[in-house]
Amino acid sequence: MIIIIKPNTKKELVSSFVAELEKTPGLQAHLVDGLHTTIIGLVGDTSKIDIDNLRTSDIVEEVKRVQEPYKNANRKFHPDDTVVDIGGIKIGGSHFQVISGPCSVECEDQICEIARRVKAADSAFLRGGAFKPRTSPYAFQGLKAEGIELLLEAKKKTGLPIVTEIMDAAHLPLFENVDVIQVGARNMQNFELLKELGHTKKPILLKRGLANTIEEFLMSAEYIMAGGNENVILCERGIRTFETATRNTFDVSAIPVLKRLSHLPVVADPSHAGGISWLVEPLALAAVAAGADGLMIEVHNNPAKALSDGKQSLTPDEFYGVMLKIKAVLAALGKSIG
Ligand code: PEP
Ligand code: MN
């Protein structure tokens, strides 16, 4: 961090300012005293420094960060890829996995049938929303606790670990047997929820907010990790832009950027990114080619009758076909599922 001191500031004021900065353990301040300008180079872990607070000091002209404001999620402090282990199924590093299933859990037959079909296509996880964040309060809100019970039933039948979204920390007891807790795009900056999840050891699939920068996304991961939970998987699911031809704009560049900045696994969700079933295949393949560690894909046994997101859902047969192409792209990169 670079702190530029206002011209003609008394040396004693600068010295006491430096002494104050160095009270934070692990921080060293290096003073560069020029003819007209004094600069302080602050090195060490500056992630806990409040930059706005520094700017309010009477002697400070400007403050510039030269290091990212996140530490736990930062690849600089953790060069090796993080591999998240979910009951023996690994994701990250050399491990690529697919998470698939319906947008919403609707009934036992629906979730069990889809689970059986996606498992046959080599999906490692079953997804399904029980608590649904819907734009309209009149739209289907999910089966809630019953939805989680039905996912557990499908898990019992197929052995597939389950991924489902949490919207309120008060619901955490219901998620005790859920394998991966999803934080949806709309809750990416629900900091109280993130803090609560940081106090658990559950793997967390954190989706990027609709209109959030990559740095904000990584700061949200940092919230979870700062509480002691290192099991975070990032999910790029498209961002809002001026474009209306697709539901969101798939930010494919976020995948290599996130992987460069962070050691956390990165998966992509082409279903919510494109919002149309025929777009899922090209976006999924682009994500794999860009280096994603996994994919989340919505699959429904009867998309036309789905209670949410039917338009972007693949049928099990279509999913099987897309999985073959995903495997082909992985093979071209010298990778495979698993
Ligand atoms: C979902 O995965 O069903 C979902 C609601 O996604 P997002 O939070 O990315 O909109
Ligand atoms: Mn959905």
Side-chain angles (χ1 to χ4, degrees), residues 297-315:
I297 298 180
E298 285 187 344
V299 179
H300 198 285
N301 51 347
N302 188 355
K305 290 271 162 63
L307 295 183
S308 60
D309 286 350
K311 194 172 155 211
Q312 68 196 31
S313 298
L314 299 182
T315 63

Side-chain angles (χ1 to χ4, degrees), residues 103 127 132 272 298 309 312:
C103 181
R127 66 147 283 151
K132 293 303 304 176
H272 290 88
E298 285 187 344
D309 286 350
Q312 68 196 31

Side-chain angles (χ1 to χ4, degrees), residues 38-77:
T38 299
I39 290 171
I40 300 168
L42 198 58
V43 292
D45 178 11
T46 57
S47 55
K48 296 200 175 86
I49 298 276
D50 183 342
I51 194 162
D52 292 328
N53 197 23
L54 282 183
R55 285 191 178 119
T56 62
S57 165
D58 286 342
I59 71 164
V60 170
E61 176 90 30
E62 182 53 294
V63 186
K64 289 192 166 67
R65 269 198 190 279
V66 289
Q67 190 163 289
E68 300 79 13
Y70 46 90
K71 182 166 187 251
N72 292 286
N74 199 328
R75 195 181 274 283
K76 275 190 196 135
F77 302 103

Side-chain angles (χ1 to χ4, degrees), residues 24-152:
T24 306
L27 280 185
Q28 297 112 42
H30 298 271
L31 204 66
V32 183
D33 212 358
L35 196 56
H36 300 293
T37 316
T38 299
I39 290 171
I40 300 168
L42 198 58
V43 292
D45 178 11
T46 57
S47 55
K48 296 200 175 86
I49 298 276
D50 183 342
I51 194 162
D52 292 328
N53 197 23
L54 282 183
R55 285 191 178 119
T56 62
S57 165
D58 286 342
I59 71 164
V60 170
E61 176 90 30
E62 182 53 294
V63 186
K64 289 192 166 67
R65 269 198 190 279
V66 289
Q67 190 163 289
E68 300 79 13
Y70 46 90
K71 182 166 187 251
N72 292 286
N74 199 328
R75 195 181 274 283
K76 275 190 196 135
F77 302 103
H78 190 299
D80 296 335
D81 288 337
T82 281
V83 177
V84 176
D85 190 324
I86 302 124
I89 301 179
K90 297 186 171 116
I91 183 157
S94 57
H95 304 274
F96 181 98
Q97 306 292 357
V98 176
I99 303 162
S100 63
C103 181
S104 299
V105 180
E106 298 172 8
C107 65
E108 185 170 344
D109 284 353
Q110 174 241 21
I111 195 67
C112 291
E113 168 65 7
I114 296 170
R116 191 179 65 74
R117 297 293 306 275
V118 297
K119 185 182 181 180
D122 291 334
S123 179
F125 296 89
L126 175 67
R127 66 147 283 151
F131 291 90
K132 293 303 304 176
R134 306 302 300 281
T135 301
S136 166
Y138 309 115
F140 177 59
Q141 302 288 305
L143 296 180
K144 307 186 174 77
E146 189 196 344
I148 295 182
E149 288 306 316
L150 296 179
L151 281 165
L152 290 168

Side-chain angles (χ1 to χ4, degrees), residues 246 250 252 255 268-271 273-274 276-290 295 297 314 318 321-323 325-326 329:
T246 49
F250 182 41
V252 71
I255 298 165
D269 172 350
S271 307
I276 313 168
S277 62
W278 57 262
L279 261 172
V280 172
E281 179 178 302
L283 300 188
L285 300 183
V288 177
L295 291 165
I297 298 180
L314 299 182
E318 286 167 344
V322 173
M323 285 293 273
K325 295 201 179 169
I326 289 166
V329 175

Side-chain angles (χ1 to χ4, degrees), residues 102-104 127 129 132-133 165 182-187 207-208 210 235 237 247-248 269 272 296 298 309 312:
C103 181
S104 299
R127 66 147 283 151
K132 293 303 304 176
E165 178 170 351
Q182 176 174 324
V183 175
R186 288 152 193 84
N187 274 311
K207 298 186 97 176
R208 181 177 179 184
L210 280 72
C235 179
R237 47 78 74 203
R247 181 174 181 180
N248 291 289
D269 172 350
H272 290 88
M296 178 182 252
E298 285 187 344
D309 286 350
Q312 68 196 31

